[in-house]
Amino acid sequence: MPLLEIKNLKLDFIAGDKSLRAVDDVSITINAGETVCLVGESGCGKSVTALSIARLVPTPPARYVGGEILLNGRDVLKMSKTDLRGIRGGVVSYIFQDPSASLNPVFRIGNQIKESLKLHRPEKATDEEVIRLLKLVGIPAPESRIKDYPHQMSGGMQQRVMIAMALASEPKLLVADEPTTALDVTIQAQILDLLLDLKKRMGMSILLITHNLGIVGDMADRVAVMYAGQVVEMSPALDLLRRPLHPYTKALMNSVPKLSSNLQRLSAIPGNVPTLGNFPSGCRFYPRCPSAQPECANTMPQLVEVEPNRWVRCLYAKSL
Amino acid sequence: MLSFIIKRLLHMIPILLGVSLITFFLMALTPGDYFTQLSMNPQISPEKLAQLRAEQHLDKPWYIRYLYWLKDAAHGNLGYSAAYKASVSDLITSRLWNTFLLSFAATLLAWCVAVPLGIWAAVQKDSWVDRLCSLIAFVGLSIPDVLLALLALMFAAATGLFPVGGAQSSLYDLMSPGEQIWDRLHHLILPTIVLAASELAGIMRQMRSNMLDALRSEFVTTARAKGIPEGWVIYKHVLRNAINPLLTIFGYSLAGLLSGAFIVENIMAWPGLGRLTMEALSAKDYPLVVAGVVMAAALLVIGNFIADLLLAWSDPRIRLK
């Protein structure tokens, strides 16, 4: 049984009397000990999908319309509030994009980490355990840092505190929602190395959300690419990087600058991600797709397994 | 911390000097003085008036008078009220206590009602609770203090449940201590409610919007993602962040209560500092006006000072080194 199995998840945002589909028929599985990357441009629904795993998207404005989220075989969407609180932190922990906003500015970091311990491992809610966790995530002199407020730390250190807080409850799955976007490049590499290292030592799974295909190869076992609320390609990481099948994935790969090439300009995907409620009929990518065919405007492609373990949502996946 | 407190207290001195100077100057711009009306009285000779004026240095220019006043004030003597035939210090002390009592009670009432209502309205956003609170705030902000004070007086007169104005009954001195306390409270209730009403509306709306801002913060998602029960999220994580902007308002609200108290004290015959200053102003009783204004300014500065201390205590980001 996989650790996490999202099946045909559908989520709407209610705006006035309209409901806008933000996540449409998304299915993702994560096995124990596996790292899955969720890739896509801003606004494609990756964060909402990730937050849904612990039902953290506020309802309203959101509404879960259909599908299942099986975590350890139990459907998160049907859980009582009490069970849900056990899952949050207990089975799945989160770290977010901007650690300076994600930590509460008025409480000491030791206090905030201890909060997690009190909820999920009350017998370990001690200063010693907090110090051990801070040491684990590579914070120097944790004995004196425990009394710091978030604003007294650098961004990289704050993100390490977030990771320590997430690990405090010993989760099975760590969801990292663009954990390095707000950090500078040298710190990014350190944080990603730390995540890989911790994953090995603690044997947990990671769902890493990113819009940077550059880090996928180092981190992921499998990749799911999302576009306009749908998964358009899902594949083992190396296969996808060597030979992307969906035109959108290809376009994304082309926009990653390479050190070897002598590019004058970065290539970009023309146009923008369609906004919620303005999705084109048929294939959602066809207005921006370099290889669009007339049929693409009319028929919505389904996610099909075109090669073993490689799922693509494109009418012409095989011929491209 | 101690040096900060001392520094802030020292900062008060130039502010109060400035306030007293401007008050003297503005008073000098208006024609006449307390003794002008006495000159209509045929029983008082011009020589006597000149002598009375000389006693108060009213025959000299305003800046000389200011220096005389400053010299006396430095010795703790705020002058002599010609209208009340009493020392200004004594007059102010008794009135200041009344104003303080009224302001304190009104602040307490306003905050104790407004903060929980604001939280409730924010947590139950768009529910009937929220709408009712909006309505109360709208009414509270729209009705001027003057009207509300008059309505309260009408209510007191019509029902007889509350005394119509004043701070104590005429038989106060004959009462037992217990009765005296009840009598003071009984007189305090209506002015407190009137004074608190408009204040309450503002604080409630402010609290609501602060809570909504804090509820939208990312650390709330973090807290929920840890599995913290919703009540704990709201009362620990959200509230501590929402209350900070209110502490700044608290300082201004003390000053606002004093200026609001001018009106309420006048209409509801509450013997406070505001009413005393207003009466002194129309009687052109200079020493009393200056002392009243300086006291009000001092309360404002102290209010801000308290707000800064509270804010430093509550928010580590601005805590003083």
Side-chain angles (χ1 to χ4, degrees):
Chain A
M1 184 178 69
L3 173 65
L4 171 72
E5 206 174 352
I6 302 178
K7 281 187 192 163
N8 309 103
L9 179 67
K10 291 191 183 73
L11 180 142
D12 284 0
F13 281 109
I14 313 291
D17 48 0
K18 279 196 294 189
S19 62
L20 308 170
R21 183 65 49 93
V23 175
D24 195 5
D25 209 17
V26 165
S27 301
I28 294 171
T29 53
I30 300 178
N31 297 308
E34 195 179 29
T35 301
V36 174
C37 268
L38 196 53
V39 183
E41 285 170 279
S42 306
C44 70
K46 13 182 233 302
S47 292
V48 177
T49 305
L51 285 173
S52 300
I53 297 170
R55 226 163 89 195
L56 279 170
V57 188
T59 49
R63 194 178 63 195
Y64 294 97
V65 183
E68 289 180 321
I69 299 174
L70 301 175
L71 199 56
N72 276 336
R74 293 182 59 205
D75 189 355
V76 173
L77 297 182
K78 295 203 176 78
M79 274 184 195
S80 70
K81 282 192 171 168
T82 322
D83 289 347
L84 204 56
R85 284 204 299 271
I87 291 287
R88 293 173 176 175
V91 182
V92 50
S93 280
Y94 284 83
I95 56 177
F96 299 105
Q97 181 171 342
D98 183 0
S100 63
S102 302
L103 290 165
N104 194 325
V106 303
F107 296 111
R108 296 177 200 278
I109 60 144
N111 175 328
Q112 297 190 50
I113 295 174
K114 216 182 270 178
E115 231 176 15
S116 275
L117 289 169
K118 274 183 199 152
L119 287 160
H120 300 288
R121 289 195 296 149
E123 72 287 352
K124 285 278 192 180
T126 59
D127 281 356
E128 289 75 53
E129 179 65 8
V130 173
I131 289 168
R132 188 187 72 81
L133 285 163
L134 290 176
K135 225 177 254 166
L136 190 71
V137 297
I139 288 183
E143 295 81 4
S144 56
R145 287 303 211 167
I146 192 170
K147 286 234 181 318
D148 275 7
Y149 288 97
H151 72 277
Q152 292 169 299
M153 304 184 122
S154 67
M157 286 296 145
Q158 287 173 346
Q159 194 62 291
R160 284 169 197 266
V161 169
M162 281 295 292
I163 296 172
M165 198 158 83
L167 296 182
S169 49
E170 300 188 330
K172 301 273 182 299
L173 172 66
L174 178 69
V175 179
D177 188 352
E178 308 210 21
T180 57
T181 308
L183 307 176
D184 63 57
V185 185
T186 47
I187 310 293
Q188 282 189 21
Q190 290 176 16
I191 295 289
L192 292 175
D193 284 346
L194 175 68
L195 285 178
L196 274 184
D197 179 46
L198 290 170
K199 184 198 142 183
K200 273 186 210 126
R201 280 157 71 173
M202 306 187 67
M204 59 188 178
S205 309
I206 294 182
L207 176 62
L208 179 68
I209 298 165
T210 178
H211 57 242
N212 182 358
L213 268 175
I215 65 175
V216 167
D218 299 331
M219 300 290 295
D221 300 315
R222 280 189 305 125
V223 184
V225 180
M226 279 186 78
Y227 185 80
Q230 295 175 324
V231 172
V232 294
E233 179 164 3
M234 192 151 68
S235 176
L238 290 178
D239 294 348
L240 181 123
L241 291 176
R242 281 198 201 108
R243 192 169 51 91
L245 295 179
H246 194 281
Y248 177 61
T249 321
K250 287 178 192 170
L252 269 188
M253 302 256 310
N254 281 335
S255 22
V256 178
K258 291 175 192 69
L259 279 177
S260 52
S261 64
N262 245 343
L263 274 182
Q264 293 300 308
R265 286 178 66 89
L266 288 173
S267 69
I269 308 174
N272 291 309
V273 182
T275 50
L276 281 190
N278 295 315
F279 294 150
S281 61
C283 171
R284 287 179 186 171
F285 187 57
Y286 92 86
R288 304 171 72 193
C289 181
S291 20
Q293 307 290 322
E295 184 55 23
C296 297
N298 304 318
T299 313
M300 159 93 74
Q302 298 301 311
L303 192 66
V304 285
E305 192 169 18
V306 293
E307 291 170 26
N309 289 322
R310 301 204 63 177
W311 297 74
V312 182
R313 191 188 285 272
C314 177
L315 292 174
Y316 301 98
K318 281 179 185 163
S319 53
L320 287 173
Chain B
M1 197 62 191
L2 190 68
S3 72
F4 169 77
I5 295 176
I6 293 170
K7 212 158 78 187
R8 282 298 300 264
L9 288 176
L10 288 177
H11 277 173
M12 277 180 69
I13 296 173
I15 293 174
L16 295 183
L17 281 178
V19 168
S20 56
L21 186 69
I22 291 169
T23 314
F24 257 91
F25 174 63
L26 290 178
M27 291 292 287
L29 287 181
T30 63
D33 55 45
Y34 176 71
F35 302 102
T36 311
Q37 50 180 327
L38 295 185
S39 65
M40 313 288 265
N41 188 337
Q43 291 180 338
I44 302 177
S45 67
E47 293 77 28
K48 176 71 179 166
L49 272 180
Q51 184 206 336
L52 284 171
R53 282 207 168 98
E55 274 174 20
Q56 298 234 346
H57 310 298
L58 284 171
D59 50 347
K60 302 190 180 64
W62 68 271
Y63 44 89
I64 303 289
R65 271 192 330 237
Y66 179 64
L67 292 177
Y68 273 114
W69 178 86
L70 216 53
K71 189 182 124 208
D72 285 347
H75 292 90
N77 174 13
L78 290 174
Y80 182 81
S81 159
Y84 282 89
K85 313 270 184 295
S87 123
V88 170
S89 313
D90 292 348
L91 276 171
I92 295 266
T93 332
S94 65
R95 294 304 187 94
L96 191 63
W97 165 243
N98 277 333
T99 288
F100 178 76
L101 192 69
L102 178 59
S103 290
F104 182 76
T107 310
L108 198 69
L109 177 69
W111 284 69
C112 287
V113 175
V115 171
L117 276 185
I119 296 171
W120 196 14
V123 173
Q124 307 271 325
K125 186 171 176 283
D126 296 332
S127 68
W128 66 269
V129 177
D130 189 24
R131 297 222 177 87
L132 184 69
C133 287
S134 295
L135 184 71
I136 294 172
F138 182 69
V139 172
L141 285 171
S142 315
I143 299 181
D145 282 355
V146 182
L147 183 61
L148 206 57
L150 288 172
L151 288 175
L153 284 185
M154 274 178 62
F155 173 75
T159 61
L161 289 174
F162 294 100
V164 184
Q168 57 200 41
S169 315
S170 47
L171 300 175
Y172 183 75
D173 289 334
L174 303 174
M175 292 174 177
S176 70
E179 285 171 332
Q180 284 186 340
I181 291 173
W182 165 242
D183 186 58
R184 297 295 300 246
L185 283 178
H186 198 202
H187 281 81
L188 189 61
I189 293 171
L190 271 188
T192 303
I193 292 175
V194 171
L195 195 53
S198 61
E199 184 73 5
L200 187 150
I203 301 169
M204 186 167 79
R205 293 306 284 178
Q206 191 75 37
M207 189 69 210
R208 177 181 177 276
S209 76
N210 288 347
M211 283 295 286
L212 288 177
D213 277 350
L215 272 168
R216 275 193 290 268
S217 309
E218 288 171 41
F219 59 77
V220 176
T221 310
T222 309
R224 287 188 183 136
K226 285 199 273 187
I228 300 177
E230 191 61 18
W232 186 355
V233 172
I234 286 169
Y235 291 103
K236 182 177 172 186
H237 288 267
V238 178
L239 190 56
R240 266 302 298 277
N241 281 277
I243 204 84
N244 288 344
L246 269 191
L247 295 176
T248 317
I249 297 170
F250 180 77
Y252 294 108
S253 107
L254 263 188
L257 281 175
L258 283 177
S259 57
F262 273 62
I263 298 164
V264 175
E265 282 177 3
N266 265 294
I267 296 175
M268 307 192 79
W270 182 264
L273 192 60
R275 185 154 157 247
L276 185 72
T277 313
M278 290 284 271
E279 284 166 1
L281 202 57
S282 42
K284 297 207 162 289
D285 196 355
Y286 291 123
L288 201 49
V289 172
V290 175
V293 173
V294 168
M295 281 303 148
L299 278 175
L300 171 60
V301 177
I302 291 171
N304 273 328
F305 175 56
I306 294 173
D308 282 355
L309 285 182
L310 285 175
L311 200 57
W313 165 75
S314 161
D315 191 340
R317 282 165 297 181
I318 56 157
R319 195 161 296 167
L320 313 141
K321 303 272 179 337

mmCIF file of all heavy atoms in Angstrom, chain B residues 234-249:
data_model
loop_
_atom_site.group_PDB
_atom_site.id
_atom_site.type_symbol
_atom_site.label_atom_id
_atom_site.label_comp_id
_atom_site.label_asym_id
_atom_site.label_seq_id
_atom_site.Cartn_x
_atom_site.Cartn_y
_atom_site.Cartn_z
ATOM 1 N N ILE B 234 -6.136 30.268 17.333
ATOM 2 C CA ILE B 234 -6.670 31.627 17.379
ATOM 3 C C ILE B 234 -6.198 32.371 18.622
ATOM 4 O O ILE B 234 -5.722 33.499 18.537
ATOM 5 C CB ILE B 234 -8.209 31.583 17.288
ATOM 6 C CG1 ILE B 234 -8.586 31.241 15.853
ATOM 7 C CG2 ILE B 234 -8.824 32.920 17.692
ATOM 8 C CD1 ILE B 234 -10.022 30.916 15.664
ATOM 9 N N TYR B 235 -6.286 31.726 19.787
ATOM 10 C CA TYR B 235 -5.997 32.481 21.008
ATOM 11 C C TYR B 235 -4.519 32.573 21.323
ATOM 12 O O TYR B 235 -4.093 33.463 22.037
ATOM 13 C CB TYR B 235 -6.811 31.922 22.182
ATOM 14 C CG TYR B 235 -8.252 32.235 21.979
ATOM 15 C CD1 TYR B 235 -9.151 31.265 21.549
ATOM 16 C CD2 TYR B 235 -8.702 33.548 22.109
ATOM 17 C CE1 TYR B 235 -10.463 31.583 21.275
ATOM 18 C CE2 TYR B 235 -10.005 33.878 21.846
ATOM 19 C CZ TYR B 235 -10.887 32.896 21.433
ATOM 20 O OH TYR B 235 -12.184 33.229 21.148
ATOM 21 N N LYS B 236 -3.708 31.675 20.775
ATOM 22 C CA LYS B 236 -2.267 31.843 20.985
ATOM 23 C C LYS B 236 -1.643 32.560 19.791
ATOM 24 O O LYS B 236 -1.128 33.657 19.917
ATOM 25 C CB LYS B 236 -1.598 30.484 21.210
ATOM 26 C CG LYS B 236 -0.109 30.638 21.487
ATOM 27 C CD LYS B 236 0.599 29.326 21.796
ATOM 28 C CE LYS B 236 2.112 29.556 21.871
ATOM 29 N NZ LYS B 236 2.891 28.336 22.025
ATOM 30 N N HIS B 237 -1.723 31.941 18.624
ATOM 31 C CA HIS B 237 -0.929 32.433 17.502
ATOM 32 C C HIS B 237 -1.509 33.704 16.864
ATOM 33 O O HIS B 237 -0.786 34.631 16.563
ATOM 34 C CB HIS B 237 -0.784 31.340 16.440
ATOM 35 C CG HIS B 237 0.133 30.243 16.890
ATOM 36 N ND1 HIS B 237 1.467 30.247 16.601
ATOM 37 C CD2 HIS B 237 -0.088 29.145 17.645
ATOM 38 C CE1 HIS B 237 2.032 29.174 17.140
ATOM 39 N NE2 HIS B 237 1.111 28.493 17.778
ATOM 40 N N VAL B 238 -2.813 33.730 16.661
ATOM 41 C CA VAL B 238 -3.403 34.873 15.958
ATOM 42 C C VAL B 238 -3.530 36.070 16.895
ATOM 43 O O VAL B 238 -3.109 37.173 16.581
ATOM 44 C CB VAL B 238 -4.773 34.484 15.375
ATOM 45 C CG1 VAL B 238 -5.416 35.684 14.695
ATOM 46 C CG2 VAL B 238 -4.613 33.346 14.386
ATOM 47 N N LEU B 239 -4.078 35.827 18.082
ATOM 48 C CA LEU B 239 -4.384 36.939 18.985
ATOM 49 C C LEU B 239 -3.132 37.724 19.372
ATOM 50 O O LEU B 239 -3.137 38.956 19.383
ATOM 51 C CB LEU B 239 -5.086 36.389 20.234
ATOM 52 C CG LEU B 239 -5.678 37.437 21.156
ATOM 53 C CD1 LEU B 239 -6.646 38.325 20.404
ATOM 54 C CD2 LEU B 239 -6.386 36.778 22.331
ATOM 55 N N ARG B 240 -2.051 37.017 19.684
ATOM 56 C CA ARG B 240 -0.834 37.710 20.109
ATOM 57 C C ARG B 240 -0.314 38.641 19.019
ATOM 58 O O ARG B 240 0.327 39.646 19.299
ATOM 59 C CB ARG B 240 0.252 36.686 20.477
ATOM 60 C CG ARG B 240 0.306 36.349 21.939
ATOM 61 C CD ARG B 240 0.526 37.551 22.833
ATOM 62 N NE ARG B 240 1.799 38.215 22.573
ATOM 63 C CZ ARG B 240 2.947 37.828 23.074
ATOM 64 N NH1 ARG B 240 2.999 36.821 23.896
ATOM 65 N NH2 ARG B 240 4.043 38.469 22.763
ATOM 66 N N ASN B 241 -0.558 38.282 17.752
ATOM 67 C CA ASN B 241 -0.119 39.162 16.672
ATOM 68 C C ASN B 241 -1.130 40.256 16.387
ATOM 69 O O ASN B 241 -0.766 41.342 15.966
ATOM 70 C CB ASN B 241 0.137 38.343 15.407
ATOM 71 C CG ASN B 241 1.467 37.638 15.456
ATOM 72 O OD1 ASN B 241 2.491 38.217 15.155
ATOM 73 N ND2 ASN B 241 1.453 36.390 15.899
ATOM 74 N N ALA B 242 -2.402 39.969 16.621
ATOM 75 C CA ALA B 242 -3.437 40.953 16.304
ATOM 76 C C ALA B 242 -3.471 42.074 17.338
ATOM 77 O O ALA B 242 -3.903 43.186 17.054
ATOM 78 C CB ALA B 242 -4.799 40.267 16.226
ATOM 79 N N ILE B 243 -3.011 41.784 18.545
ATOM 80 C CA ILE B 243 -3.172 42.763 19.624
ATOM 81 C C ILE B 243 -2.124 43.876 19.525
ATOM 82 O O ILE B 243 -2.347 44.985 19.989
ATOM 83 C CB ILE B 243 -3.086 42.052 21.004
ATOM 84 C CG1 ILE B 243 -3.809 42.849 22.072
ATOM 85 C CG2 ILE B 243 -1.653 41.777 21.416
ATOM 86 C CD1 ILE B 243 -5.273 42.593 22.125
ATOM 87 N N ASN B 244 -0.995 43.621 18.855
ATOM 88 C CA ASN B 244 0.086 44.614 18.828
ATOM 89 C C ASN B 244 -0.326 45.981 18.280
ATOM 90 O O ASN B 244 -0.054 47.000 18.921
ATOM 91 C CB ASN B 244 1.283 44.075 18.053
ATOM 92 C CG ASN B 244 1.999 42.996 18.833
ATOM 93 O OD1 ASN B 244 1.780 42.867 20.037
ATOM 94 N ND2 ASN B 244 2.823 42.227 18.168
ATOM 95 N N PRO B 245 -0.969 46.037 17.108
ATOM 96 C CA PRO B 245 -1.357 47.371 16.606
ATOM 97 C C PRO B 245 -2.324 48.074 17.557
ATOM 98 O O PRO B 245 -2.337 49.296 17.639
ATOM 99 C CB PRO B 245 -2.045 47.068 15.275
ATOM 100 C CG PRO B 245 -1.582 45.720 14.888
ATOM 101 C CD PRO B 245 -1.316 44.992 16.154
ATOM 102 N N LEU B 246 -3.109 47.288 18.303
ATOM 103 C CA LEU B 246 -4.076 47.895 19.217
ATOM 104 C C LEU B 246 -3.392 48.608 20.383
ATOM 105 O O LEU B 246 -3.914 49.576 20.917
ATOM 106 C CB LEU B 246 -5.006 46.826 19.776
ATOM 107 C CG LEU B 246 -6.278 46.555 19.005
ATOM 108 C CD1 LEU B 246 -7.179 45.673 19.829
ATOM 109 C CD2 LEU B 246 -7.004 47.843 18.665
ATOM 110 N N LEU B 247 -2.218 48.098 20.772
ATOM 111 C CA LEU B 247 -1.531 48.711 21.912
ATOM 112 C C LEU B 247 -1.117 50.138 21.580
ATOM 113 O O LEU B 247 -1.130 51.014 22.449
ATOM 114 C CB LEU B 247 -0.311 47.872 22.293
ATOM 115 C CG LEU B 247 -0.655 46.475 22.812
ATOM 116 C CD1 LEU B 247 0.603 45.675 23.074
ATOM 117 C CD2 LEU B 247 -1.496 46.561 24.077
ATOM 118 N N THR B 248 -0.767 50.382 20.312
ATOM 119 C CA THR B 248 -0.448 51.747 19.901
ATOM 120 C C THR B 248 -1.683 52.627 20.021
ATOM 121 O O THR B 248 -1.627 53.756 20.497
ATOM 122 C CB THR B 248 0.039 51.758 18.441
ATOM 123 O OG1 THR B 248 0.928 50.674 18.267
ATOM 124 C CG2 THR B 248 0.730 53.047 18.110
ATOM 125 N N ILE B 249 -2.806 52.070 19.572
ATOM 126 C CA ILE B 249 -4.055 52.828 19.630
ATOM 127 C C ILE B 249 -4.418 53.146 21.073
ATOM 128 O O ILE B 249 -4.985 54.192 21.373
ATOM 129 C CB ILE B 249 -5.172 52.014 18.968
ATOM 130 C CG1 ILE B 249 -4.837 51.809 17.508
ATOM 131 C CG2 ILE B 249 -6.521 52.688 19.130
ATOM 132 C CD1 ILE B 249 -5.736 50.834 16.826
#
